[in-house]
Amino acid sequence: MDDFRSTGIDDADGLIPVNPAIEAYMRNLVIRTDHPVLFEMEELARQENFPIVNRLVGVFLKTQASMINAKRVFEFGSGFGYSAYWFAKAIGHDGRVICSDSDAVNRHRAKKYLSAAELWQCVEFHVGLAQDVFEQTDGLFDICYNDVDKSAYPEIWQIAKHRIRSGGLYIADNVLWHGRVAVKNYQNEIDASTAAIVEHNQMIFNDPDFDVFINPIRDGVMVARKK
């Protein structure tokens, strides 16, 4: 019988969930998603070392949204609109992606890119703390997507889970946190961010109202479906 207990590793150096060669192969399978706007956004992220979900995660987000016919998405932490691009592609012109980011420059960039992709009309982009924007927005959501500062992950889960419709999804990026969640003494590895993600992940897997899975591509994407 396989032993699924923790391996108790001491550091995350070289701990890559999916081999880069496999991810490269998978990336080549989705070349039909290539678009000039995506190339511009990906290049900006590379130049500025700005953390965006990569192409594979983007395709995954679009697929998840399409599978449940999502029409209303809330993003906790939108950056300059890369993940919103994928959600907007899924929800269509009659849907709405409500974005939040604390930096007005990111809203300006998102408007530029998403307008060029003819998706801006699907987006409502608010500048401010994601939690505040969420509390000021009424109603239930098909998807709540979490990509804020990692120390806030448990808080985001607690406020979001009650406003996801039955059959809807909670999706969180970076839930493997560069492998640090698997480190035995993670407190010494990276501080409060790792501890917060560990707490966040465990809370969701323990919640009987949700079915949960982690897709290990890139830095780990959690999908939790509300029963």
Side-chain angles (χ1 to χ4, degrees), residues 2-222:
D2 291 333
D3 186 352
F4 297 114
R5 293 172 298 182
S6 172
T7 59
I9 62 171
D10 294 320
D11 65 74
D13 289 345
L15 189 59
I16 301 172
V18 179
N19 187 288
I22 297 296
E23 290 214 356
Y25 166 75
M26 294 169 66
R27 171 63 181 87
N28 285 333
L29 291 176
V30 297
I31 57 172
R32 65 182 179 138
T33 65
D34 286 353
H35 189 285
V37 169
L38 285 178
F39 286 136
E40 285 187 45
M41 297 172 90
E42 290 160 358
E43 178 60 19
L44 176 64
R46 188 193 66 78
Q47 290 178 358
E48 299 192 358
N49 195 29
F50 192 99
I52 62 170
V53 300
N54 66 12
R55 186 73 66 90
L56 292 177
V57 175
V59 172
F60 180 70
L61 296 178
K62 178 178 180 291
T63 301
Q64 295 298 301
S66 298
M67 286 173 62
I68 65 165
N69 193 31
K71 293 298 178 185
R72 197 164 192 252
V73 176
F74 189 94
E75 286 196 342
F76 293 87
S78 296
F80 55 78
Y82 190 84
S83 55
Y85 172 100
W86 295 100
F87 283 126
K89 293 284 283 187
I91 64 174
H93 294 310
D94 57 338
R96 181 70 58 181
V97 182
I98 301 172
C99 297
S100 61
D101 198 271
S102 59
D103 190 342
V105 172
N106 284 333
R107 184 188 187 279
H108 174 76
R109 288 171 164 176
K111 183 176 182 180
K112 168 190 169 185
Y113 291 127
L114 298 178
S115 295
E118 300 183 345
L119 296 172
W120 183 245
Q121 67 271 24
C122 305
V123 171
E124 183 180 317
F125 201 114
H126 298 267
V127 176
L129 185 69
Q131 296 93 314
D132 292 342
V133 175
F134 186 71
E135 293 296 341
Q136 295 162 11
T137 306
D138 295 329
L140 296 177
F141 296 94
D142 299 304
I143 296 175
C144 284
Y145 173 70
N146 185 6
D147 197 10
V148 296
D149 290 340
K150 308 315 161 191
S151 61
Y153 266 37
E155 176 191 359
I156 297 299
W157 161 248
Q158 293 285 8
I159 66 174
K161 68 176 184 176
H162 303 292
R163 293 181 55 191
I164 300 170
R165 59 122 167 135
S166 178
L169 305 177
Y170 172 85
I171 303 177
D173 191 30
N174 303 114
V175 295
L176 296 181
W177 201 224
H178 313 292
R180 297 179 186 121
V181 295
V183 174
K184 181 172 59 175
N185 295 314
Y186 60 80
Q187 294 91 342
N188 298 326
E189 179 73 10
I190 197 66
D191 63 57
S193 293
T194 303
I197 294 176
V198 169
E199 178 188 0
H200 165 269
N201 294 352
Q202 195 63 61
M203 283 195 304
I204 300 172
F205 272 90
N206 288 345
D207 195 314
D209 293 330
F210 286 80
D211 295 314
V212 197
F213 178 75
I214 294 176
N215 182 338
I217 60 172
R218 185 176 166 268
D219 196 24
V221 185
M222 174 183 285

